[in-house]
Amino acid sequence: MTSANFETVASVTLEIPQISSPPIVVSPCPRIGKNQIRTSLKASTLDAVFAAIFSLSTGGILLSNFLVELDASPVVFGMLSSIPMLVNLIQPLGAYLSERTTSRFQYSLRTHGIGRIMWLILFIGIACFHFGGLNSHQLVVLTLSIVLISHLLGGLGSASWLSWLGMIVPRQLRGRYFSIRNSAASLTNLLCLPLAGLAVSHWRGGTLQGYGIVLLIGIVFGIISLGCQYFKVDLNPQLQNTLNNYPQDKLINSTVITPAANQPSIWQNSRFVIFVLYFSLWMFAVNLSAPFFSLYMLDTLNLDISLVSLYTSLQAGANLLMLIIWGKLADKIGSRRILIFVGISVAVTPILWVGINTHYVDFWLWLPLLHILTGGTWAGVDLCNNNIQLEIAPVKNQSIYFAIAAAMAGASGALGTTIGSLIVQFTNCGGLLGLFTLSGVLRLIALVPLMFLQD
């Protein structure tokens, strides 16, 4: 573990491989050597690869299929999707706590580490269910409890982690690096998810027992991913906050720094307010229908988990290919333009599900094409949303900006999921297909604030 040295100096040059930066005047400022940056970026990429294996085993289609096998209701699926977003409300508290620590790494280890180990309880619960110690309802409740606790702990650490990585990645390489990092995670999903789906589907002891084995393997890789963070340069949040309250891209490109006292407060930052408005509306519209695509395939269309896993792998493959393109474009033309263009495609996608039924052509042509379209477009949305946050947030108290954005978006996303599940179960408005159409219309409306966001 290496730590960045914070020095009170008049002029500091940020060393970035193959990129020369002009001297900047800040006091104090972290000096991170290019070898430390290279090692940290490699470690962060490996972290993403191993974390992807953990994520696919504790969420997504595998966890959804697990709950389908337990005869969970649509409300349970709504809760499953709303919990990861609703717990974002705790991110401001997590940011507050992290800014009073002296190590980003140690804080991440305490939050994410405990959260991932918690999944061992579900593995034990599956074993108890196998031997008759738990019934299906109790196992569903236990699953939701583990999801809640683990995501609460993850929410406490998310803003600190993003601020940590945002300080390490050079501004000029941000789009390209995050596209490479996300591509590595997508490639991992592409390769591992079909294998995991086949293992669950063809396990001798049944799909529930098969999921338990896959879950245990995922937990091991989740712990390994935290070990990769040891090789990232550590930062002291308290020393980071002695920097002037200025966006990081301005620190890199400017020679004159405005005193912190003259900087606007969080809610006086118009770019940040517009972004939060867009992000909140977007998360509501997206999550109105997002949890129910898997339910539609597994329950309504009665598809096998191995076939749905294949679709998800195609989505990951498209995500992998397009991330590199979106990353380069983001560095050239800016993230906002990409978000508007790609956002329209993402908005139309749910409406395209209306024509999907149990025809043979739908299974082997239209569903794969829809997942490829989803993977390619969401690659640009996720990457550019992340980049815009890093561009807007100042260096001082950076994690608090990230936490507020996540909290607002998480609350609206959880509200969307809850309303979506209630619409499906208790109203007669076209069922899931009617919900998909409504979500598509609202996604288009959510893009309007981006028209007023300056690059």
Side-chain angles (χ1 to χ4, degrees):
M1 169 63 66
T2 57
S3 298
N5 296 320
F6 288 77
E7 303 174 3
T8 304
V9 293
S11 178
V12 175
T13 301
L14 179 62
E15 297 178 323
I16 303 173
Q18 299 178 349
I19 295 179
S20 59
S21 300
I24 58 176
V25 180
V26 294
S27 177
C29 181
R31 174 178 292 168
I32 305 177
K34 62 181 180 180
N35 289 331
Q36 289 178 303
I37 291 178
R38 288 171 178 169
T39 302
S40 297
L41 299 187
K42 291 178 182 178
S44 180
T45 303
L46 288 175
D47 174 19
V49 169
F50 292 122
I53 300 176
F54 169 78
S55 296
L56 69 87
S57 65
T58 58
I61 189 64
L62 295 181
L63 186 59
S64 296
N65 182 75
F66 174 70
L67 292 174
V68 168
E69 294 293 329
L70 294 175
D71 296 322
S73 67
V75 173
V76 171
F77 283 90
M79 293 176 64
L80 181 67
S81 297
S82 64
I83 285 174
M85 294 174 290
L86 192 59
V87 297
N88 284 325
L89 290 171
I90 206 173
Q91 282 208 30
L93 174 61
Y96 175 84
L97 295 175
S98 70
E99 297 307 307
R100 277 146 183 79
T101 63
T102 57
S103 170
R104 293 287 189 198
F105 171 70
Q106 292 295 333
Y107 186 78
S108 177
L109 199 62
R110 289 194 294 268
T111 53
H112 292 100
I114 298 175
R116 293 180 181 182
I117 292 175
M118 288 293 299
W119 284 91
L120 285 172
I121 298 176
L122 180 58
F123 173 76
I124 297 172
I126 295 174
C128 292
F129 176 81
H130 178 71
F131 293 106
L134 293 175
N135 58 40
S136 60
H137 175 71
Q138 291 171 330
L139 191 55
V140 168
V141 173
L142 178 63
T143 302
L144 291 178
S145 300
I146 297 301
V147 170
L148 175 61
I149 297 172
S150 63
H151 281 87
L152 277 173
L153 291 166
L156 289 174
S158 295
S160 176
W161 176 87
L162 184 56
S163 178
W164 182 16
L165 191 58
M167 289 295 294
I168 295 174
V169 180
R171 170 65 183 87
Q172 296 91 330
L173 303 177
R174 188 175 291 153
R176 280 169 285 177
Y177 172 71
F178 280 109
S179 66
I180 292 173
R181 186 181 189 275
N182 294 347
S183 294
S186 295
L187 179 60
T188 304
N189 277 318
L190 177 65
L191 299 176
C192 295
L193 187 56
L195 297 177
L198 287 173
V200 171
S201 179
H202 295 86
W203 191 261
R204 291 183 178 180
T207 56
L208 295 179
Q209 191 179 122
Y211 175 72
I213 300 301
V214 171
L215 175 64
L216 181 61
I217 295 173
I219 295 170
V220 172
F221 280 105
I223 301 302
I224 294 175
S225 79
L226 292 175
C228 294
Q229 296 183 9
Y230 176 83
F231 300 96
K232 292 165 57 177
V233 58
D234 199 6
L235 295 178
N236 185 335
Q238 296 187 24
L239 295 181
Q240 176 184 334
N241 290 334
T242 61
L243 294 174
N244 287 328
N245 193 13
Y246 218 64
Q248 187 177 359
D249 56 341
K250 300 296 183 182
L251 288 174
I252 293 176
N253 298 317
S254 300
T255 57
V256 179
I257 302 300
T258 304
N262 295 332
Q263 297 301 321
S265 65
I266 291 178
W267 298 111
Q268 291 175 330
N269 187 329
S270 60
R271 294 179 68 203
F272 178 74
V273 171
I274 293 174
F275 174 78
V276 169
L277 176 62
Y278 146 74
F279 203 26
S280 299
L281 293 174
W282 178 256
M283 291 297 289
F284 176 85
V286 166
N287 288 285
L288 193 68
S289 62
F292 305 106
F293 293 111
S294 297
L295 178 63
Y296 185 71
M297 289 186 291
L298 293 170
D299 190 22
T300 304
L301 300 181
N302 198 28
L303 296 180
D304 185 78
I305 178 62
S306 59
L307 184 58
V308 178
S309 298
L310 176 62
Y311 296 154
T312 309
S313 296
L314 291 174
Q315 181 173 322
N319 189 282
L320 169 67
L321 294 176
M322 291 302 298
L323 269 170
I324 304 298
I325 298 175
W326 296 132
K328 292 180 179 179
L329 280 176
D331 288 337
K332 291 181 179 179
I333 67 175
S335 298
R336 185 184 70 93
R337 293 180 178 88
I338 295 177
L339 276 178
I340 294 174
F341 170 74
V342 180
I344 295 174
S345 299
V346 173
V348 173
T349 303
I351 301 175
L352 299 178
W353 278 76
V354 174
I356 299 296
N357 50 42
T358 56
H359 290 166
Y360 183 83
V361 175
D362 294 333
F363 289 167
W364 297 106
L365 179 62
W366 297 122
L367 276 175
L369 288 177
L370 272 178
H371 280 80
I372 291 173
L373 174 64
T374 300
T377 51
W378 269 105
V381 170
D382 290 337
L383 177 69
C384 293
N385 277 336
N386 184 71
N387 286 349
I388 286 182
Q389 288 190 74
L390 291 172
E391 292 169 4
I392 293 175
V395 173
K396 183 178 180 181
N397 295 323
Q398 192 178 61
S399 63
I400 295 178
Y401 279 77
F402 299 150
I404 291 175
M408 297 290 289
S412 60
L415 179 63
T417 299
T418 303
I419 293 176
S421 63
L422 294 175
I423 289 175
V424 171
Q425 187 158 355
F426 299 111
T427 65
N428 186 18
C429 298
L432 288 174
L433 297 181
L435 185 67
F436 295 164
T437 302
L438 176 62
S439 176
V441 174
L442 293 179
R443 292 182 190 192
L444 288 172
I445 297 174
L447 294 173
V448 173
L450 285 178
M451 305 295 181
F452 304 95
L453 182 65
Q454 296 181 351
D455 286 325

